Amino acid sequence: MREYHFQATADTMEALRTLRGAWRGLATAEHELTIVLRDGRFVRVGLETADVEGLFDAYRIRAEVVDDPGISGVPVEDFIDGNNDIVLFTGMSWSEPHGPVKADGISESSAMVFSGHPGQLSETAEVVCVTTDAFVVASSVGRGMLIRTGLRPGSLEVERNPEKVRAFLLERGYRDENEDAS
């Protein structure tokens, strides 16, 4: 298996650290999110793309502190007090051989491409790219927001539903605090 890494840069991690502070507002779009901090800074979150051996595109989270983009955003009460935690998540995209069955129009050298988390990586993967595919912001009042690469290529998903954020955390290995200890 050939392995590549396309993970968050130091600049992205530094920009995400600013989200620990108090928020004033949030503005979302299909391809990016802008968080307005109470101290007057703005953090724009989006995606970056890498071509992996011409087989598939891999996506990673990108964040940067930007000058005033001229927006105020929708108030986000759960995050207005600051003291938020930020957790980054590792994802993977990988190719699999197409197998003996070929559909019309699919070339002999074609491959199937999958994305998921490290626990989902197949033993038959030929090329894998390790990415930073998501992060969760947890507020001091116990609310969470999941920001991750979307199902549509190049899209960004923002999830605030507590059950969906919880399901994501459990899938990625966080233990449910309500489970009985075994």
Coordinates of all heavy atoms in Angstrom, one line a residue, residues 18-19 32 36-37 40 49 56 61 112 117 119 136 152-153 173 175 177:
T18 N -8.0 29.7 18.0 CA -8.7 30.9 18.4 C -10.2 30.7 18.6 O -10.8 31.5 19.3 CB -8.6 32.0 17.3 OG1 -9.2 31.5 16.1 CG2 -7.1 32.3 17.0
L19 N -10.7 29.5 18.2 CA -12.1 29.2 18.4 C -12.4 28.8 19.8 O -13.5 28.7 20.2 CB -12.6 28.1 17.5 CG -12.5 28.4 16.0 CD1 -13.0 27.2 15.2 CD2 -13.2 29.6 15.6
E32 N -17.8 27.0 2.8 CA -17.0 27.5 3.9 C -17.9 28.0 5.1 O -19.1 28.2 4.9 CB -16.0 28.6 3.5 CG -16.7 29.9 3.0 CD -15.7 30.9 2.5 OE1 -14.6 30.5 2.1 OE2 -16.1 32.1 2.5
V36 N -17.3 34.5 13.8 CA -17.0 35.9 14.2 C -16.8 35.8 15.7 O -17.7 35.4 16.5 CB -18.2 36.9 13.9 CG1 -17.8 38.3 14.3 CG2 -18.6 36.8 12.4
L37 N -15.6 36.1 16.1 CA -15.2 36.1 17.5 C -15.6 37.4 18.2 O -15.6 38.5 17.5 CB -13.7 35.8 17.7 CG -13.3 34.4 17.1 CD1 -11.8 34.3 17.2 CD2 -14.0 33.3 17.8
G40 N -13.3 40.5 17.8 CA -13.2 41.2 16.6 C -12.5 40.4 15.5 O -12.5 40.9 14.3
T49 N -7.7 20.8 -1.3 CA -7.8 19.5 -2.1 C -6.4 19.1 -2.6 O -5.6 20.0 -2.9 CB -8.7 19.7 -3.3 OG1 -9.9 20.3 -2.9 CG2 -8.9 18.4 -4.1
F56 N -7.6 10.0 -7.2 CA -8.7 10.6 -6.5 C -8.2 11.9 -5.8 O -7.0 12.1 -5.7 CB -9.3 9.6 -5.4 CG -8.3 9.2 -4.4 CD1 -8.1 9.9 -3.2 CD2 -7.6 8.0 -4.5 CE1 -7.2 9.4 -2.2 CE2 -6.7 7.5 -3.6 CZ -6.5 8.2 -2.4
I61 N -9.3 19.8 6.2 CA -9.9 21.1 6.8 C -8.8 22.1 6.7 O -7.6 21.9 7.0 CB -10.3 20.8 8.3 CG1 -11.4 19.8 8.4 CG2 -10.6 22.1 8.9 CD1 -12.7 20.3 7.8
M112 N -11.9 1.9 -7.4 CA -12.9 2.4 -6.5 C -12.3 3.2 -5.4 O -11.2 2.9 -5.0 CB -13.7 1.2 -5.9 CG -14.4 0.3 -6.9 SD -15.8 1.1 -7.6 CE -16.9 1.3 -6.2
H117 N -12.9 6.7 8.3 CA -11.9 7.0 9.4 C -10.9 5.8 9.4 O -11.2 4.8 8.7 CB -12.5 7.2 10.7 CG -13.4 6.1 11.2 ND1 -12.9 5.0 11.8 CD2 -14.8 6.0 11.2 CE1 -13.9 4.2 12.1 NE2 -15.0 4.7 11.7
G119 N -10.2 3.3 11.2 CA -10.8 2.0 11.6 C -11.5 1.3 10.4 O -11.8 0.1 10.5
V136 N -14.5 19.0 16.1 CA -15.6 19.3 16.9 C -15.2 20.4 17.9 O -14.1 20.4 18.5 CB -16.1 18.1 17.8 CG1 -17.1 18.4 18.8 CG2 -16.6 17.0 16.8
R152 N -20.6 15.6 -0.7 CA -20.3 16.1 -2.0 C -18.9 16.6 -2.1 O -18.5 17.3 -1.1 CB -21.3 17.2 -2.4 CG -22.6 16.8 -2.9 CD -23.3 18.0 -3.4 NE -23.3 19.1 -2.5 CZ -24.3 19.6 -1.8 NH1 -25.5 19.2 -2.0 NH2 -24.1 20.6 -1.0
P153 N -18.1 16.2 -3.1 CA -16.7 16.7 -3.2 C -16.6 18.2 -3.0 O -17.4 19.0 -3.6 CB -16.3 16.3 -4.6 CG -17.2 15.1 -4.9 CD -18.5 15.4 -4.2
G173 N -14.5 6.8 18.2 CA -13.8 6.2 19.4 C -14.0 6.9 20.7 O -13.4 6.4 21.7
R175 N -15.8 7.3 24.1 CA -16.6 6.4 24.9 C -17.8 7.2 25.4 O -17.7 8.4 25.8 CB -15.8 5.9 26.1 CG -16.6 5.0 27.0 CD -15.7 4.4 28.1 NE -16.5 3.7 29.0 CZ -17.2 4.2 30.1 NH1 -17.0 5.5 30.3 NH2 -17.9 3.5 30.9
E177 N -20.2 8.5 27.9 CA -20.1 8.6 29.4 C -21.3 8.0 30.1 O -21.2 7.7 31.3 CB -20.0 10.1 29.8 CG -21.2 10.9 29.3 CD -21.0 12.4 29.2 OE1 -19.9 12.7 28.8 OE2 -21.9 13.1 29.5

